[in-house]
Coordinates of all heavy atoms in Angstrom, one line a residue:
A509 N -32.2 -0.3 31.4 CA -30.8 -0.6 30.8 C -29.9 -1.2 31.9 O -29.3 -2.2 31.7 CB -30.2 0.7 30.2
A510 N -30.0 -0.6 33.1 CA -29.1 -1.1 34.2 C -29.5 -2.5 34.6 O -28.6 -3.3 34.9 CB -29.3 -0.1 35.4
E511 N -30.8 -2.8 34.5 CA -31.2 -4.2 34.9 C -30.7 -5.3 34.0 O -30.5 -6.4 34.4 CB -32.8 -4.3 34.7 CG -33.6 -3.6 35.9 CD -35.1 -3.7 35.6 OE1 -35.5 -4.5 34.8 OE2 -35.8 -2.9 36.3
V512 N -30.4 -4.9 32.8 CA -29.9 -6.0 31.9 C -28.4 -5.9 31.6 O -27.8 -6.6 30.7 CB -30.7 -6.0 30.5 CG1 -32.1 -6.4 30.7 CG2 -30.6 -4.6 29.9
G513 N -27.7 -5.0 32.4 CA -26.2 -4.9 32.3 C -25.7 -3.9 31.3 O -24.5 -3.9 31.0
L514 N -26.6 -3.1 30.8 CA -26.1 -2.0 29.9 C -25.7 -0.8 30.7 O -26.5 -0.3 31.5 CB -27.2 -1.6 28.9 CG -27.6 -2.6 27.9 CD1 -28.9 -2.2 27.2 CD2 -26.5 -2.9 26.9
T515 N -24.4 -0.4 30.6 CA -24.0 0.8 31.3 C -23.8 2.0 30.4 O -23.7 3.2 30.9 CB -22.6 0.6 32.0 OG1 -21.7 0.1 31.1 CG2 -22.8 -0.5 33.1
T516 N -23.9 1.8 29.1 CA -23.9 2.9 28.1 C -24.9 2.5 27.0 O -24.8 1.4 26.5 CB -22.5 3.1 27.5 OG1 -21.6 3.6 28.5 CG2 -22.6 4.2 26.4
I517 N -25.7 3.4 26.6 CA -26.5 3.2 25.4 C -26.4 4.4 24.5 O -26.2 5.5 25.0 CB -28.0 2.9 25.7 CG1 -28.7 4.2 26.4 CG2 -28.2 1.7 26.5 CD1 -30.2 4.1 26.4
H518 N -26.6 4.2 23.3 CA -26.7 5.3 22.3 C -28.2 5.4 22.0 O -28.8 4.3 21.6 CB -25.9 5.1 21.1 CG -24.4 5.0 21.3 ND1 -23.5 5.2 20.3 CD2 -23.7 4.8 22.4 CE1 -22.3 5.1 20.8 NE2 -22.4 4.8 22.1
D519 N -28.8 6.5 22.1 CA -30.2 6.6 21.8 C -30.3 7.5 20.5 O -29.8 8.6 20.4 CB -31.0 7.3 22.9 CG -32.5 6.9 22.8 OD1 -33.0 6.6 21.7 OD2 -33.2 6.9 23.8
I520 N -30.9 6.8 19.5 CA -30.7 7.2 18.1 C -31.9 8.0 17.5 O -33.0 7.5 17.7 CB -30.4 6.0 17.3 CG1 -29.3 5.1 17.9 CG2 -30.1 6.4 15.8 CD1 -27.9 5.8 17.9
Y521 N -31.6 9.0 16.7 CA -32.6 9.7 15.9 C -33.6 10.3 16.9 O -34.8 10.3 16.6 CB -33.3 8.8 14.9 CG -33.8 9.4 13.7 CD1 -32.9 10.0 12.8 CD2 -35.1 9.6 13.4 CE1 -33.3 10.6 11.6 CE2 -35.6 10.2 12.2 CZ -34.7 10.7 11.3 OH -35.1 11.3 10.2
I522 N -33.1 10.9 17.9 CA -34.1 11.4 18.9 C -34.5 12.9 18.6 O -33.8 13.6 18.0 CB -33.6 11.2 20.4 CG1 -32.3 12.0 20.7 CG2 -33.4 9.8 20.7 CD1 -31.9 11.8 22.1
S523 N -35.7 13.2 19.2 CA -36.3 14.5 18.9 C -35.7 15.5 19.9 O -35.2 15.2 20.9 CB -37.8 14.4 19.0 OG -38.1 14.2 20.4
P524 N -35.9 16.8 19.6 CA -35.6 17.9 20.6 C -36.2 17.6 22.0 O -35.6 17.8 23.0 CB -36.0 19.2 20.0 CG -36.0 18.9 18.5 CD -36.4 17.4 18.4
E525 N -37.5 17.2 22.0 CA -38.2 17.0 23.3 C -37.5 15.8 24.0 O -37.4 15.9 25.3 CB -39.6 16.6 23.0 CG -40.5 17.7 22.4 CD -40.2 17.9 20.9 OE1 -39.7 17.0 20.3 OE2 -40.5 19.1 20.5
E526 N -37.1 14.8 23.3 CA -36.4 13.7 23.9 C -35.0 14.1 24.5 O -34.7 13.6 25.6 CB -36.3 12.5 23.0 CG -37.7 11.9 22.7 CD -37.8 11.0 21.5 OE1 -36.8 11.0 20.6 OE2 -38.8 10.3 21.3
M527 N -34.3 14.9 23.7 CA -33.0 15.4 24.3 C -33.2 16.2 25.5 O -32.5 16.0 26.5 CB -32.3 16.2 23.2 CG -31.8 15.4 22.0 SD -30.6 16.2 21.0 CE -31.7 17.0 19.8
R528 N -34.3 17.0 25.5 CA -34.6 17.8 26.7 C -34.9 16.9 27.9 O -34.5 17.1 29.0 CB -35.8 18.7 26.4 CG -35.8 20.0 27.2 CD -36.9 20.9 26.6 NE -36.6 21.4 25.3 CZ -37.5 21.5 24.3 NH1 -38.8 21.1 24.5 NH2 -37.2 22.0 23.2
G529 N -35.7 15.8 27.6 CA -36.0 14.9 28.6 C -34.8 14.2 29.3 O -34.7 14.2 30.5
Y530 N -33.8 13.8 28.4 CA -32.6 13.3 29.0 C -31.8 14.3 29.8 O -31.3 14.0 30.9 CB -31.7 12.8 27.8 CG -31.9 11.3 27.4 CD1 -32.3 11.0 26.1 CD2 -31.8 10.3 28.3 CE1 -32.5 9.7 25.7 CE2 -32.0 9.0 28.0 CZ -32.4 8.7 26.7 OH -32.6 7.4 26.3
Q531 N -31.8 15.5 29.3 CA -31.0 16.6 30.1 C -31.7 16.8 31.4 O -31.0 17.0 32.4 CB -31.0 17.9 29.3 CG -30.1 17.9 28.1 CD -30.2 19.2 27.3 OE1 -29.8 20.2 27.8 NE2 -30.7 19.1 26.1
D532 N -33.0 16.9 31.4 CA -33.7 17.2 32.7 C -33.5 16.0 33.6 O -33.4 16.2 34.9 CB -35.2 17.5 32.4 CG -35.4 18.8 31.7 OD1 -34.4 19.6 31.7 OD2 -36.5 19.1 31.2
A533 N -33.6 14.8 33.1 CA -33.4 13.6 34.0 C -32.0 13.6 34.6 O -31.8 13.3 35.7 CB -33.6 12.4 33.2
H534 N -31.0 14.0 33.7 CA -29.6 14.1 34.2 C -29.5 15.1 35.3 O -28.9 14.9 36.4 CB -28.7 14.4 33.0 CG -27.3 14.5 33.4 ND1 -26.7 13.8 34.4 CD2 -26.2 15.1 32.8 CE1 -25.4 14.1 34.5 NE2 -25.1 14.9 33.5
R535 N -30.1 16.3 35.1 CA -30.0 17.3 36.1 C -30.6 16.9 37.4 O -30.2 17.3 38.5 CB -30.7 18.6 35.5 CG -30.2 19.9 36.2 CD -30.9 21.1 35.6 NE -32.4 20.9 35.6 CZ -33.2 21.5 34.7 NH1 -32.7 22.3 33.8 NH2 -34.5 21.3 34.8
R536 N -31.7 16.1 37.3 CA -32.3 15.7 38.6 C -31.6 14.5 39.2 O -32.1 13.9 40.2 CB -33.8 15.3 38.3 CG -34.6 16.5 37.8 CD -36.0 16.0 37.5 NE -36.7 17.1 36.8 CZ -38.0 17.0 36.4 NH1 -38.7 16.0 36.8 NH2 -38.6 18.0 35.7

Side-chain angles (χ1 to χ4, degrees):
E511 282 176 18
V512 292
L514 294 168
T515 54
T516 295
I517 63 164
H518 296 200
D519 203 335
I520 308 296
Y521 208 68
I522 63 179
S523 68
E525 294 75 23
E526 290 164 345
M527 290 194 271
R528 209 173 291 136
Y530 271 121
Q531 288 176 64
D532 291 345
H534 180 27
R535 200 178 54 206
R536 294 179 197 186

